[in-house]
Amino acid sequence: MSWGSELWDQFDNLEKHTQWGIEFVEKYTKFVKERSEIETNYAKQIRNLSKKYQPKKNSREEEESKYTFCRAFLTTLNELNDYAGQHEVIAENLTSQIILELSRYLQDLKTERKSHFHDGRKAQQHIESSWKQLEACKRRFERDCKEADRAQQYFEKMDADINVTKADVEKARQQAQMRHQMAADSKGEYSSYLQKFNQEQNDHYFTIIPTIFQKLQDMEERRIERIGLCMKTFADVDRQVLPIVGKCLDGMTKAAESIEPKTDSKQVVESYKSGFEPPGDVEFEDYGQAMKRAASETSLSNTREGKEKPPGKTKPKLWPFIKNKNKITLNSHVRNLIEGSGPEDFSHLPPEQRRKKLQGKIDELNKDIQKEMDQRDALTKMKDVYVKNPQMGDPASVDPRLSEIAQTIEKLQSEVQKFEGWLAEVEERMPSKSDTHRRSGIYETQNNTTVSNNCAQDRESPDGSYTEEQTSETQVKANTHPIPTTTTPEFDDEFDDEETLPTIGTCKALYPFEGHNEGTISVAEGELLYVIEEDKGDGWTRVRRNEDEEGYVPTSYVEVFLETNAKDS
């Protein structure tokens, strides 16, 4: 249906309707703007939440990162941060694709509507003016006709009166004729203007107004279509980010599925294992007989080698967690382990934890050495270029930096040797797995002889907790075992003479290893080797390339695939 033919007399109602349409566009624009602000604020709150629970840069958080559930939570936080970013994208797209577009369209819409109704009012004014002129012509024609009738009646009256002079009659006759002529002229003018008005009125209601109303109808339909497109865009903006939001949620799900309770339980052992052995049986002390009580050798006993303690002076060692006045107290060595404090050589830690800390420190120093060596190589190449092409730079300008790097490398290597010495000392004192099974026999046979143990029990106080002091015996034993200066743990020189060990699996080298030291073997990245002895807790795995080449490689450098029977054993 056309507004021009159906609503030709509803100019005022159409004006109100189109104004309401513009107000609706303004209302919808405000709605989208508020939705965009909500998305922006929501994304900001989500980002702040993710940032709030991000791990802090301290030793405690680094310790937590070893657990799968902590890593899963960190992944969830990162995915949540990306999820917040998608809500920011929604807000940006709503602003650029709807709010800004509708704001510009509203200005054009108001201008177009104003123009159309201006033309309509102009046409209305013109037809109303023509109608007024037609009415004026009609009233003038009516007046002239009445005047002509009165003049005619006056002439007839004068002509019938015998007392009136001929001159007065003639004058009345001429006046009547003049009035009739004026009436005839008014009639012609009225007839002509009436015809003109009818034509204008026909054009107004069948051409001009329908054209204007048709333009208004087209404008209104475009407005409605634009609102429909904006509503579709409103939904599409959300739909566009759904794939990425889905990936974020999939990442959270995958992180949750990556949690491994068994692995975390194993990590607890790795983090807090002391390396000590449980204490042996406490011997019966028979005070009814005058006899010397033999000192009970336990993994926590602290006796001097080759010496005996007087009867009644030996006190059995307690567990790391001891009860004192109905309250559980944590030994200082475990507390220091958690807080991360202590001397440079980590002597405050139990043997196993001390070994891990020393190994980690050595790895860190080796990375620093490699970084400095890379810088040295780069500067050396630059110096060679300067030597060959003096115009590019002065070779002598590189020497101070090279000297500084050389001093740094020398200092770092000295640090590595120091920590490797401490590491070798710890590994030398740590009991092997096979020694553990023989220890029970030692407890029974060595009743009068004690074995000196230079672990944390050297610093055990009478209540069973650990102190930071070292006895003179510990210092003497430290002097009797000089710090080795090798860059890798010592290996037995006699495994070359042993019988060929059977393979228990295979491994793949993840990184290249030079293997310069005795007992080690060099491997290339991606190389496949046979495993003949797995890691016994010292961080090294024994492998074989062929019948003649075998040696140790760092366990962290290879990915081991043990055979089923080897795993079961």
Side-chain angles (χ1 to χ4, degrees):
M1 290 186 179
S2 173
W3 286 8
S5 61
E6 302 293 337
L7 304 175
W8 61 272
D9 57 345
Q10 299 298 319
F11 185 89
D12 293 339
N13 287 332
L14 288 180
E15 186 175 18
K16 293 178 182 179
H17 178 78
T18 52
Q19 178 60 33
W20 173 77
I22 289 177
E23 293 173 354
F24 182 86
V25 175
E26 291 175 340
K27 181 174 71 173
Y28 185 76
T29 303
K30 184 179 179 182
F31 159 74
V32 177
K33 185 177 181 180
E34 292 182 2
R35 162 74 192 284
S36 177
E37 292 174 353
I38 291 174
E39 292 291 343
T40 301
N41 294 333
Y42 177 67
K44 183 179 179 180
Q45 292 176 357
I46 291 295
R47 284 195 184 278
N48 290 339
L49 179 65
S50 176
K51 183 179 180 181
K52 177 181 178 181
Y53 286 92
Q54 284 286 342
K56 305 300 186 297
K57 298 297 182 180
N58 55 49
S59 58
R60 179 61 180 172
E61 295 293 343
E62 292 177 359
E63 187 72 20
E64 290 180 356
S65 65
K66 297 178 181 178
Y67 297 96
T68 60
F69 64 90
C70 290
R71 293 197 297 270
F73 181 57
L74 178 59
T75 301
T76 300
L77 292 177
N78 294 333
E79 294 292 351
L80 191 64
N81 192 60
D82 295 340
Y83 176 80
Q86 297 311 306
H87 284 275
E88 291 176 345
V89 171
I90 291 176
E92 293 173 359
N93 290 340
L94 288 176
T95 301
S96 61
Q97 299 180 23
I98 297 180
I99 299 175
L100 296 179
E101 290 295 327
L102 283 182
S103 298
R104 287 192 293 265
Y105 176 69
L106 267 174
Q107 298 300 323
D108 297 339
L109 184 63
K110 290 179 180 179
T111 302
E112 183 181 0
R113 175 182 176 276
K114 182 178 179 180
S115 174
H116 293 328
F117 280 101
H118 175 74
D119 294 341
R121 289 191 183 91
K122 186 176 179 181
Q124 285 286 93
Q125 292 173 359
H126 178 73
I127 199 65
E128 289 175 0
S129 175
S130 297
W131 172 256
K132 290 178 181 179
Q133 290 180 7
L134 177 63
E135 286 294 318
C137 290
K138 180 181 178 182
R139 286 193 299 270
R140 187 166 54 251
F141 171 57
E142 182 182 6
R143 185 181 65 248
D144 289 344
C145 287
K146 290 180 180 179
E147 290 292 335
D149 289 341
R150 282 196 297 269
Q152 182 66 30
Q153 292 176 2
Y154 180 73
F155 166 69
E156 291 176 354
K157 181 180 179 182
M158 292 293 288
D159 188 46
D161 191 354
I162 59 174
N163 296 322
V164 178
T165 63
K166 188 174 180 180
D168 291 336
V169 173
E170 183 62 25
K171 183 178 179 180
R173 186 183 66 79
Q174 290 178 357
Q175 185 68 24
Q177 288 179 351
M178 183 185 69
R179 290 295 180 182
H180 279 292
Q181 184 61 43
M182 289 178 63
D185 292 342
S186 296
K187 180 180 180 181
E189 183 181 359
Y190 170 65
S191 176
S192 174
Y193 206 86
L194 178 61
Q195 184 178 3
K196 178 183 177 182
F197 174 78
N198 288 333
Q199 182 63 40
E200 289 179 351
Q201 181 177 252
N202 185 73
D203 293 341
H204 176 79
Y205 288 110
F206 292 96
T207 303
I208 298 176
I209 289 299
T211 301
I212 294 174
F213 282 9
Q214 184 62 43
K215 291 179 180 179
L216 288 172
Q217 182 178 358
D218 295 341
M219 179 195 73
E220 182 69 5
E221 290 175 355
R222 288 197 304 271
R223 179 192 68 81
I224 297 173
E225 183 180 7
R226 178 62 67 92
I227 287 293
L229 291 175
C230 289
M231 290 182 178
K232 182 175 181 295
T233 303
F234 185 84
D236 290 340
V237 164
D238 274 79
R239 187 176 292 107
Q240 288 170 0
V241 302
L242 286 180
I244 301 179
V245 170
K247 290 182 180 179
C248 294
L249 299 177
D250 291 342
M252 296 181 190
T253 303
K254 187 176 181 181
E257 293 173 348
S258 68
I259 296 177
E260 299 178 356
K262 295 294 184 182
T263 302
D264 289 344
S265 297
K266 183 179 179 182
Q267 183 59 46
V268 174
V269 176
E270 294 294 328
S271 297
Y272 300 109
K273 180 181 178 181
S274 67
F276 297 142
E277 296 180 23
D281 296 337
V282 178
E283 294 185 358
F284 174 75
E285 300 182 28
D286 190 355
Y287 291 99
Q289 298 181 7
M291 58 178 293
K292 185 184 298 182
R293 180 188 176 210
S296 174
E297 180 191 357
T298 69
S299 60
L300 294 180
S301 65
N302 182 20
T303 59
R304 288 175 173 80
E305 185 176 1
K307 295 183 179 181
E308 295 180 355
K309 289 187 176 181
K313 295 296 183 178
T314 301
K315 183 176 182 178
K317 303 304 175 183
L318 304 179
W319 294 91
F321 293 94
I322 61 174
K323 290 186 178 180
N324 184 15
K325 296 181 180 180
N326 299 326
K327 181 171 66 176
I328 301 297
T329 60
L330 188 64
N331 290 330
S332 62
H333 79 284
V334 180
R335 187 183 303 111
N336 288 330
L337 170 62
I338 295 176
E339 296 176 354
S341 61
E344 182 185 14
D345 62 351
F346 305 109
S347 59
H348 63 292
L349 300 177
E352 179 67 21
Q353 299 302 323
R354 184 185 181 194
R355 183 189 67 80
K356 292 180 180 179
K357 288 286 186 181
L358 290 173
Q359 185 63 53
K361 187 67 176 179
I362 291 172
D363 294 340
E364 181 181 343
L365 290 172
N366 284 331
K367 289 180 180 178
D368 293 339
I369 292 175
Q370 185 60 45
K371 186 184 299 183
E372 295 293 331
M373 293 177 67
D374 292 341
Q375 293 185 15
R376 182 190 63 187
D377 295 341
L379 288 175
T380 302
K381 292 180 180 178
M382 182 184 297
K383 183 177 180 180
D384 293 340
V385 173
Y386 288 170
V387 171
K388 296 178 181 178
N389 303 284
Q391 67 275 11
M392 297 183 66
D394 183 12
S397 63
V398 185
D399 292 338
R401 179 58 180 158
L402 285 174
S403 177
E404 180 182 349
I405 292 177
Q407 293 177 1
T408 303
I409 293 176
E410 183 178 356
K411 181 179 178 180
L412 291 173
Q413 289 176 341
S414 175
E415 288 289 313
V416 169
Q417 291 181 358
K418 179 173 65 174
F419 280 96
E420 286 178 341
W422 288 330
L423 178 61
E425 179 184 356
V426 172
E427 292 180 340
E428 179 181 354
R429 293 171 183 172
M430 287 181 62
S432 63
K433 296 180 180 179
S434 58
D435 292 339
T436 305
H437 300 290
R438 298 195 301 268
R439 191 59 60 92
S440 59
I442 296 176
Y443 292 152
E444 298 175 359
T445 58
Q446 296 182 348
N447 292 326
N448 297 323
T449 305
T450 59
V451 179
S452 176
N453 192 333
N454 193 25
C455 296
Q457 61 265 37
D458 290 332
R459 302 184 294 279
E460 188 174 23
S461 60
D463 63 351
S465 62
Y466 293 90
T467 66
E468 297 300 326
E469 299 177 358
Q470 289 188 351
T471 62
S472 59
E473 177 190 358
T474 304
Q475 297 172 355
V476 171
K477 284 187 69 61
N479 293 332
T480 58
H481 295 280
I483 298 177
T485 59
T486 58
T487 57
T488 56
E490 296 180 354
F491 301 101
D492 295 334
D493 296 329
E494 59 191 18
F495 76 87
D496 291 334
D497 299 331
E498 297 176 358
E499 295 181 2
T500 303
L501 296 176
T503 60
I504 60 174
T506 60
C507 67
K508 179 181 179 181
L510 302 176
Y511 314 100
F513 177 66
E514 299 297 334
H516 295 302
N517 299 91
E518 184 177 0
T520 62
I521 183 173
S522 60
V523 296
E525 181 178 355
E527 184 177 0
L528 296 177
L529 302 163
Y530 294 102
V531 178
I532 58 177
E533 184 178 319
E534 61 178 319
D535 188 350
K536 295 184 177 181
D538 57 0
W540 295 85
T541 299
R542 191 170 177 182
V543 299
R544 177 187 298 139
R545 178 177 288 112
N546 50 45
E547 295 297 332
D548 299 327
E549 292 185 83
E550 62 181 46
Y552 288 92
V553 296
T555 304
S556 59
Y557 277 51
V558 295
E559 182 178 7
V560 178
F561 306 96
L562 295 179
E563 297 176 357
T564 305
N565 55 356
K567 293 181 181 179
D568 297 339
S569 61

